[in-house]
Amino acid sequence: MGEATIRDVARRAEVSVASVSRALNGLDNVRAETRERVIKAANELGYVPHAGARSLSLARAHAIGVVLPDLHGEFFSECVRGMDREASRRGYLLLLSNMHDDSDQAAVALRAMRGRVDGLLVMAPHIAPETLEHAIPPALPSVMLNSHADLPGRPALRFDNRAGAEAMVEHLVANGYRHIVHIAGPEGNLDAAQRAEGYLAVCARHALPPRILAGDFNEEAGEAAARTILASNTLTDAVFAANDMMAIGCLHTLRSAGTGVPEKIAVAGFDDVPLARYLSLSTVRVNIAEMGARAVGRLIDLLEGKDLSRDSETFTPELVVRATTAPRTAPKDGAAHA
Amino acid sequence: MGEATIRDVARRAEVSVASVSRALNGLDNVRAETRERVIKAANELGYVPHAGARSLSLARAHAIGVVLPDLHGEFFSECVRGMDREASRRGYLLLLSNMHDDSDQAAVALRAMRGRVDGLLVMAPHIAPETLEHAIPPALPSVMLNSHADLPGRPALRFDNRAGAEAMVEHLVANGYRHIVHIAGPEGNLDAAQRAEGYLAVCARHALPPRILAGDFNEEAGEAAARTILASNTLTDAVFAANDMMAIGCLHTLRSAGTGVPEKIAVAGFDDVPLARYLSLSTVRVNIAEMGARAVGRLIDLLEGKDLSRDSETFTPELVVRATTAPRTAPKDGAAHA
DNA sequence: GCGAGTTATGTAACCGGTTACGGTTTGCCG
DNA sequence: CGGCAAACCGTAACCGGTTACATAACTCGC
């Protein structure tokens, strides 16, 4: 039933287990003829080393644990794709574990990694730093992605949501929009909070009246926000949503209601999901795959002692201007939506 | 440096390692007072059991390996999302490994799983069955996803690409289209081949002239196909692409060239990516997340001896009719594109 | 107060690898 | 051919858990 073990190979090649180990791992203190006998026996038995046992005695698993929150669509796959690319390039496997917005469950997930992985990649923008610090096994090297604060000894990689949001709102202002509404992301989410901050900063800078509608990163929130905007009698000539999905929901609802975008109201999002291009939605692009790959790279450097600087890194997102924020054509301060 | 081991806990609680193991694993032959002492000691030391060692002695890793090809966007994330949901519900972790279209690399990836996972989930629509069978460690229970043929002893889950394609082409015929071109997927890909089969079957059934253009599942292939169609003087009133991305590329190029969709040429895809809805693209929906979850469920049943029927399952995809295949309005056999 | 029966605990083997250490061969030299 | 170093190889300990088995402690009935 069970697979062949190193002892089976040893028996068959008529050598000791030590020689088998040495031969298969390419150590040089093995006679060529012995090595061949071993390799032959291993092939005949279809021997595959038991990674678990190996990592136990080496204290090295050649795997890294990835703990992600519930990410949507592209975001998740891009992130994992980037990580996987770098990991497999450097001979590591990825152990995946979602953490469904629940910090107890997160702790369980993190503990389950002990003894299976050499390091951890943690993305938890919704969990408080002290909770997190307490949940991560202290001896596991780890790299944080987009998390709240820096944890001592663990480099953090994040993108500058605030700068991205500022760039977008500045762009709107430059294109003549003055009554810009922000659809916020979920409460307590760090990305969302930083994007809102950027929005507020630009409003303050230009003495524009800020207005924030609640949202949760889902399309429906964008639709609801659009209805609120249409129903209210507050002047609005642009909407900056905290992510693309909400922007898209908003865009659709506005257009369905006969409100031209961008003629009456401009719409902008954040993330640059593939859909955005097709809808000509102006947005802010974050190269999440690259960040994932970089995070894996950093972690492995750390594991292999190649990187002793535990510095954090910030990725600056890129403004992507498309048709939904075309320069305002109506009179400078003319009525948009009443 | 290293984390606390079970022996440290034993020492501190002044009991033997056996008692620690028993106490922490909830066995009942431990005095209540002893158990408390052990738990206290474990907490004080921040002890977390070493999963690798544990799985070595239990011969159970509580992890399952997932080997996927290079999937695009949503497809990948949906698949992994479904798997993760079911896996974490049942207390398993996912070990992820991409297999970049290269069968040697696939073999390496599969071997690396030995001794880390209890079973395997393999999606490899591009790898020959015999190669695959040879590459999978024979003692590892596994479930195949969308792979070529059935492998003995390993259940396969797949969706009925052929039926989906037939449904779509029948729909086109029912809506009055007679000159339907198919944009094929990559050579050697099973999904692609089956979709083409479905297309050919319906053409034969209605005595329509089949016409297949090469493609590779990427958007550019759809664009190229559109240009070919526009340039050729063969009559064409509908395009059925083997996946949505090619359909979308085709759609854009046709419209940019002033060819109305669906007035002049209808366009249909396969997969129902989120984009499809926004572009009103008719397509065929496959619930990949559900299939992933089901695959994990089957595998765990198999591992835990709950499912001894090694039957394969087929998921039937669902026809999603949208605007790009609206009923033909022009004269029954009028000129479409010359 | 003593033996049987029950329950709690400890000792040590084991899972499948790696590797320090010591022993045996081999090769080379004088 | 003796002697020594170098090369090769085997034995056994170890990684950190689990658990069969042996042993100790405790209960109970008489």
Side-chain angles (χ1 to χ4, degrees), chain B residues 46-324:
Chain B
Y47 171 70
V48 179
H50 189 288
R54 190 147 201 275
S55 76
L56 181 57
S57 72
L58 288 178
R60 231 46 189 42
H62 275 274
I64 74 188
V66 177
V67 183
L68 298 176
D70 262 328
L71 295 175
H72 295 291
E74 287 296 327
F75 216 74
F76 174 81
S77 56
E78 282 306 299
C79 189
V80 174
R81 184 192 315 292
M83 291 177 176
D84 176 85
R85 190 178 23 151
E86 182 69 7
S88 76
R89 198 176 71 75
R90 300 184 61 169
Y92 280 70
L93 285 175
L94 253 35
L95 231 197
L96 209 64
S97 172
N98 261 42
M99 152 165 83
H100 304 107
D101 288 355
D102 170 338
S103 75
D104 288 343
Q105 213 183 328
V108 172
L110 288 170
R111 306 203 110 79
M113 298 268 176
R114 155 97 212 272
R116 283 190 220 264
V117 302
D118 300 327
L120 239 37
L121 243 42
V122 181
M123 181 184 298
H126 56 295
I127 293 200
E130 56 274 16
T131 313
L132 208 53
E133 179 159 17
H134 179 260
I136 299 181
L140 265 189
S142 36
V143 169
M144 313 300 298
L145 288 168
N146 252 27
S147 41
H148 270 96
D150 280 352
L151 259 41
R154 344 202 89 120
L157 268 51
R158 53 171 62 96
F159 31 67
D160 195 339
N161 283 297
R162 188 184 153 127
E166 286 194 30
M168 177 54 83
V169 183
E170 284 289 2
H171 158 72
L172 288 171
V173 172
N175 271 4
Y177 300 97
R178 291 289 174 274
H179 304 279
I180 307 170
V181 168
H182 177 58
I183 313 180
E187 201 85 21
N189 181 293
L190 184 63
D191 296 312
Q194 293 174 341
R195 291 170 194 182
E197 262 179 45
Y199 161 78
L200 288 172
V202 178
C203 285
R205 191 177 306 151
H206 295 277
L208 300 177
R211 182 168 171 222
I212 298 191
L213 300 178
D216 61 3
F217 278 167
N218 290 310
E219 202 177 333
E220 293 74 28
E223 295 168 1
R227 284 192 298 272
T228 305
I229 290 168
L230 290 171
S232 88
N233 50 10
T234 314
L235 197 69
T236 299
D237 58 11
V239 174
F240 167 48
N243 79 342
D244 281 351
M245 289 320 289
M246 294 196 297
I248 288 167
C250 181
L251 181 64
H252 269 252
T253 303
L254 290 178
R255 285 197 174 143
S256 309
T259 306
V261 175
E263 303 82 33
K264 299 293 261 181
I265 300 188
V267 173
F270 207 116
D271 286 347
D272 197 28
V273 300
L275 255 154
R277 187 158 77 85
Y278 290 97
L279 300 171
S280 293
L281 176 69
S282 290
T283 184
V284 180
R285 175 181 307 149
V286 297
N287 192 337
I288 181 75
E290 189 194 322
M291 189 166 100
R294 185 94 181 98
V296 167
R298 285 291 302 268
L299 181 56
I300 296 179
D301 284 348
L302 218 134
L303 292 175
E304 299 182 347
K306 289 182 194 152
D307 173 17
L308 300 177
S309 90
R310 313 236 150 166
D311 297 339
S312 297
E313 281 179 51
T314 299
F315 291 72
T316 305
E318 173 193 354
L319 185 66
V320 179
V321 176
R322 298 206 180 94
T324 55

Side-chain angles (χ1 to χ4, degrees), chain B residues 15-16 18-19 22 30-31 34 56-57:
Chain B
V15 295
S16 73
S19 292
R22 288 189 278 250
V30 182
R31 213 160 22 122
T34 307
L56 181 57
S57 72

Side-chain angles (χ1 to χ4, degrees), chain A residues 122 124 127-134 136 142-159 190 194 298 309-314:
Chain A
V122 181
I127 293 199
E130 57 274 16
T131 313
L132 206 55
E133 178 160 16
H134 178 259
I136 300 181
S142 35
V143 170
M144 314 301 298
L145 287 168
N146 252 29
S147 42
H148 270 95
D150 280 353
L151 259 41
R154 346 203 87 120
L157 268 51
R158 52 172 62 97
F159 31 68
L190 183 64
Q194 293 174 341
R298 285 291 301 268
S309 91
R310 312 233 152 167
D311 297 339
S312 297
E313 281 179 52
T314 298

Side-chain angles (χ1 to χ4, degrees), chain A residues 1-5 46-53 55-56 61-63 70-74 76-78 80-81 84-85 88 93-98 100 105 109 111-116 137-140 219 245 248-249 252 274-275 277-279, chain B residues 1-5 46-53 55-56 61-63 70-74 76-78 80-81 84-85 88 93-98 100 105 109 111-116 137-140 219 245 248-249 252 274-275 277-279:
Chain A
M1 179 63 231
E3 306 261 315
T5 75
Y47 170 70
V48 180
H50 188 288
S55 73
L56 183 58
H62 275 274
D70 262 330
L71 295 175
H72 296 291
E74 288 294 330
F76 174 82
S77 56
E78 283 304 300
V80 175
R81 184 193 317 291
D84 177 85
R85 193 185 19 170
S88 76
L93 285 176
L94 253 35
L95 232 197
L96 209 62
S97 172
N98 262 40
H100 304 109
Q105 213 183 328
R111 307 203 109 78
M113 297 268 175
R114 154 95 213 270
R116 285 188 216 265
L140 265 189
E219 201 177 334
M245 289 321 288
I248 288 167
H252 269 253
L275 256 154
R277 187 157 76 84
Y278 289 96
L279 299 171
Chain B
M1 177 65 231
E3 306 263 315
T5 76
Y47 171 70
V48 179
H50 189 288
S55 76
L56 181 57
H62 275 274
D70 262 328
L71 295 175
H72 295 291
E74 287 296 327
F76 174 81
S77 56
E78 282 306 299
V80 174
R81 184 192 315 292
D84 176 85
R85 190 178 23 151
S88 76
L93 285 175
L94 253 35
L95 231 197
L96 209 64
S97 172
N98 261 42
H100 304 107
Q105 213 183 328
R111 306 203 110 79
M113 298 268 176
R114 155 97 212 272
R116 283 190 220 264
L140 265 189
E219 202 177 333
M245 289 320 289
I248 288 167
H252 269 252
L275 255 154
R277 187 158 77 85
Y278 290 97
L279 300 171

Side-chain angles (χ1 to χ4, degrees), chain A residues 32-297:
Chain A
E33 188 250 328
T34 306
R35 187 188 306 274
E36 276 171 28
R37 268 225 314 287
V38 169
I39 290 177
K40 182 155 167 290
N43 284 339
E44 287 169 357
L45 291 173
Y47 170 70
V48 180
H50 188 288
R54 191 147 202 275
S55 73
L56 183 58
S57 72
L58 287 177
R60 229 51 185 42
H62 275 274
I64 74 189
V66 177
V67 183
L68 298 176
D70 262 330
L71 295 175
H72 296 291
E74 288 294 330
F75 216 73
F76 174 82
S77 56
E78 283 304 300
C79 188
V80 175
R81 184 193 317 291
M83 291 177 178
D84 177 85
R85 193 185 19 170
E86 183 68 8
S88 76
R89 198 175 70 76
R90 300 185 59 169
Y92 280 70
L93 285 176
L94 253 35
L95 232 197
L96 209 62
S97 172
N98 262 40
M99 154 165 78
H100 304 109
D101 288 355
D102 171 337
S103 74
D104 288 343
Q105 213 183 328
V108 173
L110 288 170
R111 307 203 109 78
M113 297 268 175
R114 154 95 213 270
R116 285 188 216 265
V117 302
D118 300 326
L120 237 39
L121 243 40
V122 181
M123 182 184 298
H126 57 295
I127 293 199
E130 57 274 16
T131 313
L132 206 55
E133 178 160 16
H134 178 259
I136 300 181
L140 265 189
S142 35
V143 170
M144 314 301 298
L145 287 168
N146 252 29
S147 42
H148 270 95
D150 280 353
L151 259 41
R154 346 203 87 120
L157 268 51
R158 52 172 62 97
F159 31 68
D160 194 339
N161 283 296
R162 189 185 153 128
E166 286 193 30
M168 177 55 83
V169 183
E170 284 288 1
H171 158 72
L172 288 171
V173 172
N175 273 4
Y177 300 99
R178 291 291 175 272
H179 303 279
I180 307 169
V181 168
H182 178 58
I183 312 178
E187 201 85 18
N189 181 294
L190 183 64
D191 295 312
Q194 293 174 341
R195 290 169 195 182
E197 260 179 48
Y199 162 77
L200 289 173
V202 178
C203 285
R205 191 176 305 150
H206 295 278
L208 300 177
R211 183 168 171 221
I212 298 190
L213 300 177
D216 61 2
F217 277 168
N218 290 310
E219 201 177 334
E220 293 74 29
E223 295 167 2
R227 285 193 298 273
T228 304
I229 290 168
L230 291 170
S232 89
N233 50 11
T234 314
L235 197 69
T236 299
D237 58 10
V239 173
F240 166 50
N243 79 341
D244 281 351
M245 289 321 288
M246 295 196 296
I248 288 167
C250 181
L251 181 64
H252 269 253
T253 303
L254 289 178
R255 286 197 174 141
S256 310
T259 305
V261 175
E263 304 81 32
K264 299 292 261 180
I265 299 188
V267 173
F270 207 115
D271 286 348
D272 197 26
V273 301
L275 256 154
R277 187 157 76 84
Y278 289 96
L279 299 171
S280 294
L281 176 70
S282 289
T283 185
V284 180
R285 175 181 306 149
V286 297
N287 193 336
I288 181 75
E290 189 195 322
M291 189 166 99
R294 186 94 181 96
V296 167

Side-chain angles (χ1 to χ4, degrees), chain A residues 7-15 37 40-42 44-45:
Chain A
R7 292 171 223 268
D8 299 325
V9 178
R11 199 157 23 242
R12 183 171 250 260
E14 299 181 296
V15 296
R37 268 225 314 287
K40 182 155 167 290
E44 287 169 357
L45 291 173

